[in-house]
């Protein structure tokens, strides 16, 4: 079992930045990737970004490339999501997830955190 705890969400004005953190604990098993998803009210869950557990590889949702950056710190068992130039449409609950690296982009994960709310005001 893997436990994931997100933090760093909040209220920010459009154009601002936030950095989300996700601390992982427990047995990783076959998990080789970590990622972020988001879900806005009334919308489907959306993939944001993924990183391999060794930090060597990342990939992003095409629409978010250039504004969002995922990174990891293995010493702290933590994955980060740096979000810049935030827009009101980025408002959502952001979830950290763990699973197979290649599958995360397809919306498939083995473990998910409780989420952290990000609200971007115009």
């Amino acid at each position: 079992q893997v436990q994931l705890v997100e933090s760093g969400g909040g209220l920010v004005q459009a154009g601002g930045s936030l950095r989300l953190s996700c601390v992982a604990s427990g047995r990783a098993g076959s998990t080789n990737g970590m990622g972020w998803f988001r879900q806005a009210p009334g919308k489907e869950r959306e993939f944001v970004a993924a990183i391999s557990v060794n930090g060597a590889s990342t990939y992003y949702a095409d629409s978010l490339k250039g504004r969002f950056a995922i990174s990891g710190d293995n010493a702290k068992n933590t994955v980060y999501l740096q979000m810049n130039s935030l827009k009101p449409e980025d408002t959502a609950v952001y979830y950290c997830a763990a699973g197979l690296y290649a599958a995360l982009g397809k919306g498939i994960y083995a473990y998910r955190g409780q989420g952290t709310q990000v609200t971007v005001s115009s």
Side-chain angles (χ1 to χ4, degrees):
Q1 289 286 337
V2 174
Q3 292 79 43
L4 304 170
V5 179
E6 305 96 333
S7 63
L11 175 64
V12 63
Q13 289 189 333
S17 298
L18 279 176
R19 188 177 79 158
L20 306 182
S21 299
C22 172
V23 178
S25 60
R27 290 180 175 269
S30 59
T31 299
N32 66 355
M34 300 282 292
W36 290 93
F37 293 81
R38 68 184 185 182
Q39 188 163 20
K43 295 188 177 181
E44 293 187 354
R45 184 186 66 210
E46 177 185 17
F47 168 75
V48 174
I51 185 168
S52 58
V53 292
N54 63 7
S57 301
T58 61
Y59 62 99
Y60 298 86
D62 288 342
S63 61
L64 299 175
K65 285 180 182 177
R67 292 197 301 123
F68 288 18
I70 189 170
S71 62
D73 185 338
N74 282 342
K76 297 181 179 179
N77 292 329
T78 301
V79 173
Y80 304 99
L81 183 68
Q82 179 67 43
M83 305 184 294
N84 299 322
S85 302
L86 284 163
K87 305 174 182 179
E89 51 264 42
D90 293 318
T91 295
V93 177
Y94 284 71
Y95 298 94
C96 178
L100 294 178
Y101 175 68
L104 289 168
K106 301 175 185 178
I108 302 169
Y109 52 80
Y111 306 98
R112 196 197 77 178
Q114 293 298 307
T116 185
Q117 176 70 47
V118 172
T119 303
V120 184
S121 63
S122 57

